[in-house]
Amino acid sequence: MPIEGSSQVRNWTSLVDSAEIDWNDVKTCAEGPQGTLPLTDEMLRQWPSGNLFGLSQNAGMGWEPANVARDPYLILSTQGGLRAPDGSPIALGYHTGHWEIGLLVKEAAEELKRLDAVPFAGMVSDPCDGRTQGTTGMMDSLPYRNDAAIVFRRLIRSLPLRKGVLGVATCDKGLPAMMMALAGATQLPAVLVPGGVTLPPRDGEDAGKIQTIGARYAHGELSLEEAASLGCRACASPGGGCQFLGTAATAQVVAEALGMTLPHAALIPSGQAIWTDLARRSARALVNLAKNGLTTKSILTDAAIRNAMIVHAAFGGSTNLLLHIPAVAHAAGLRRPDVHDWHEVNVKVPRLVSVLPNGPHYHPTVRAYLAGGVPEVMLHLRGLNLLDENVTTATGASLGRMLDWWESSERRKRSRERLFQEDGVDPDDVIMSPERAAEKGLTSTVTFPGGNLAPQGSVIKSTAIDPSVVDPDGVYRKTGPARVFTRELDAIAAIKGQGPAPIKPGDIVVLMGRGPMGAGMEEIYQITAALRHLSFGKQVAVLTDARFSGVSTGACVGHISPEALAGGPIGKLRDGDLIRIVVDRLKLEGSIDLVGADGVDVGEAEGSRILDGRATHPTLSPDPDLPDDTRLWAALQAVGGGTWGGCVYDVDGIIEALRTGSN
């Protein structure tokens, strides 16, 4: 088809010529590196050609030829964007979490070089859940994790002589992907370096609350000028994960609790000297593990997985780790924890940390770091005899020895003093003793409601329900009319007060068809965040087969199973149906049930009969924008146990399913 003359680009010839190039400078050969490779008779006779050619490439990239055969170590990262030497952006990254971590890679590489090793670096950048909220990009968020883990593992295997792997990652999906990749490298030593957290503004809003400026503006609760000003300064430092205990921060905490990092690594403030120091010490730790023959298999055990679950509960961490911890266990060849394991842990373990978004005091995550971070929480858990202290950590020493050191360390003393000096905050008000936490009303983290709408279970971060809507006996009870949506955009429009039927206090928002099969199990933070920060939001509940951001709060029940498109009863709800939600925040028991239609309460049993007699919602369907890549991911992870199995690829199960189907 010919191009219309009016649509042609003017001056297009400037795009195809190189007027400033001196063609006499173009060379067709070069001298090559000077020197010789440190080859031996055995190397030439026994090594595969790939190993030998690798030495040639090392010299070709500029490494001193005499040293190219020294021990290689691989540094993998999720680095994104391109920074100038002065730190200014040449090309932006997707998010602050991967913007600065190239500096960590550099520090670690220089340390490995000082240790007479040969560092290699590779990267698989990661998306931002905050940037893709409410967009079709969210449909790639959770599937990305598996893809990235596969590529990381392929990169590890593609450097055949590597002695160990250092992983550097920060955020929601890149860090779990890195943990899965390192967990799968069972025969190699590996150390993980968390990318840390960004700082909050001295005067402004955190990165969680700032994501609600659209909803608050739509309701007249924020002016245009206020939204523009607050939005500009929410990320007060250029690097690091968000300032709240969302998925990124929780994943850092879990990585440390697993023993994959050095102590006091999670939630470290990005870009500061203490942050680059961690990278150097982690490189030394990796070489130390290699010299002592300690591999990932020595660190990641069933006991380490349970320790991580216990620390997750004590922090009050993101429910997304219910997807990621089983995935790490699966990658390591360990038993995946199930709902019963999570329930047992959360019944036993008190929440001890007061940070964003759970409260009761909304401290940013950097304060949790200065209050002592993971080791400080573990000291309290040790006092309750909840931890297995015999597990090995990235230090090469046991958890028990590490905690002995931490308790009387200068590092602990200086860190906690600095929190009080800088912010005037008592560290014991951020990381509390069990007794103090009980006095402050902190409740355990997660409840798994059942009921006729969730016969295979669901998840709610019950500790984050607004206390003002919880009854004196610690039970949240709500019965209200369903407002049913099959598209997130329609739900957020109604919450913003747009359209003929805005969401009002007392409603129960039902967002169905957004699980793995419908939308890649998208994260619907823009909905939960809007409700949290709108004046009437605590009077509204949310039910969905999608998932939530780690910063989500309120009466929001997710992971409802089976998902609507797999025949789950949530897919049979209609506008006006009467729904009852009961969540006991103390016993960690709960239920979500259809109890009537047309506003008449007929009870759970009759509600079940109503559901049995209904067809699915007439507009229920996969999202028309659902990518084929995500459809494939949804089908494969379903074979591996789906949401409760960690959304992993069970290769043996998939092969068996294909074989059975082909027959």
Side-chain angles (χ1 to χ4, degrees), residues 505-643:
D507 285 345
I508 296 178
V509 174
V510 177
L511 183 58
M512 63 170 70
R514 313 309 289 181
M517 295 172 63
M521 201 176 188
E522 65 184 3
E523 180 183 282
I524 59 164
Y525 177 61
Q526 67 165 343
I527 289 176
T528 59
L531 292 173
R532 179 188 178 189
H533 294 291
L534 288 173
S535 55
F536 65 88
K538 65 184 177 182
Q539 304 299 333
V540 177
V542 178
L543 305 180
T544 184
D545 52 6
R547 61 191 175 88
F548 300 126
S549 165
V551 72
S552 293
T553 59
C556 306
V557 184
H559 301 213
I560 292 176
S561 300
E563 63 175 302
L565 285 163
I570 186 178
K572 298 181 177 182
L573 290 175
R574 303 289 193 274
D575 267 349
D577 281 345
L578 204 59
I579 295 174
R580 179 172 295 136
I581 304 172
V582 179
V583 178
D584 189 324
R585 299 204 310 166
L586 303 179
K587 295 180 181 178
L588 303 187
E589 299 171 350
S591 60
I592 50 172
D593 294 282
L594 174 70
V595 294
D598 302 318
V600 179
D601 189 337
V602 295
E604 291 87 350
E606 182 61 26
S608 296
R609 284 189 284 273
I610 292 172
L611 289 169
D612 289 341
R614 273 189 186 170
T616 56
H617 194 281
T619 66
L620 179 64
S621 66
D623 194 289
D625 293 321
L626 186 68
D628 285 346
D629 300 328
T630 301
R631 291 176 58 210
L632 179 61
W633 164 84
L636 294 176
Q637 63 86 39
V639 178
T643 300

Side-chain angles (χ1 to χ4, degrees), residues 18-316:
S18 304
E20 298 179 0
I21 292 296
D22 183 354
W23 286 87
N24 292 322
D25 287 341
V26 177
K27 306 289 192 262
T28 60
C29 60
E31 294 300 325
Q34 300 302 300
T36 59
L37 298 180
L39 298 176
T40 65
D41 177 79
E42 179 186 6
M43 292 163 68
L44 290 169
R45 292 181 184 278
Q46 302 297 328
W47 279 22
S49 65
N51 290 355
L52 294 169
F53 179 54
L55 301 184
S56 297
Q57 294 206 69
N58 295 352
M61 287 184 282
W63 206 261
E64 176 63 37
N67 299 329
V68 293
R70 290 180 176 175
D71 287 345
Y73 285 83
L74 176 59
I75 306 171
L76 291 176
S77 80
T78 55
Q79 178 183 343
L82 186 63
R83 294 163 46 94
D86 65 358
S88 61
I90 297 172
L92 292 172
Y94 285 23
H95 54 90
T96 60
H98 65 209
W99 173 243
E100 288 188 325
I101 62 173
L103 302 176
L104 293 175
V105 173
K106 178 176 179 291
E107 292 288 339
E110 289 176 346
E111 186 66 24
L112 288 170
K113 190 174 181 181
R114 280 192 288 269
L115 295 171
D116 292 331
V118 180
F120 287 76
M123 66 189 71
V124 181
S125 192
D126 54 351
C128 175
D129 282 0
R131 187 177 292 272
T132 58
Q133 285 296 328
T135 75
T136 55
M138 181 51 71
M139 298 181 198
D140 287 299
S141 171
L142 185 54
Y144 160 89
R145 184 204 65 179
N146 287 11
D147 295 344
I150 290 170
V151 176
F152 279 135
R153 286 194 292 264
R154 290 191 188 279
L155 288 174
I156 292 170
R157 294 192 294 267
S158 297
L159 190 66
L161 293 176
R162 73 278 185 253
K163 299 296 183 182
V165 186
L166 193 76
V168 188
T170 305
C171 281
D172 292 32
K173 301 304 176 299
L175 180 49
M178 186 70 76
M179 293 162 67
M180 291 166 64
L182 299 186
T186 55
Q187 302 307 312
L188 289 172
V191 175
L192 198 146
V193 183
V197 298
T198 190
L199 298 182
R202 295 192 186 278
D203 178 23
E205 296 180 350
D206 67 86
K209 186 174 183 179
I210 209 65
Q211 294 180 52
T212 69
I213 54 177
R216 286 184 286 154
Y217 174 76
H219 281 277
E221 298 183 10
L222 204 63
S223 71
L224 178 60
E225 293 75 16
E226 288 170 331
S229 176
L230 291 168
C232 182
R233 59 180 184 272
C235 298
S237 58
C242 295
Q243 307 107 331
F244 46 79
L245 193 69
T247 305
T250 306
Q252 294 185 36
V253 165
V254 163
E256 184 170 340
L258 285 167
M260 299 178 77
T261 79
L262 291 181
H264 205 214
L267 315 181
I268 193 166
S270 179
Q272 302 185 34
I274 195 170
W275 176 79
T276 49
D277 168 72
L278 173 65
R280 293 191 295 272
R281 290 186 292 109
S282 297
R284 294 200 297 272
L286 178 62
V287 174
N288 182 60
L289 289 176
K291 288 181 176 178
N292 286 280
L294 292 173
T295 68
T296 299
K297 191 176 184 68
S298 310
I299 293 172
L300 288 180
T301 62
D302 288 327
I305 294 291
R306 186 168 179 83
N307 280 351
M309 295 169 67
I310 289 167
V311 173
H312 172 274
F315 266 84

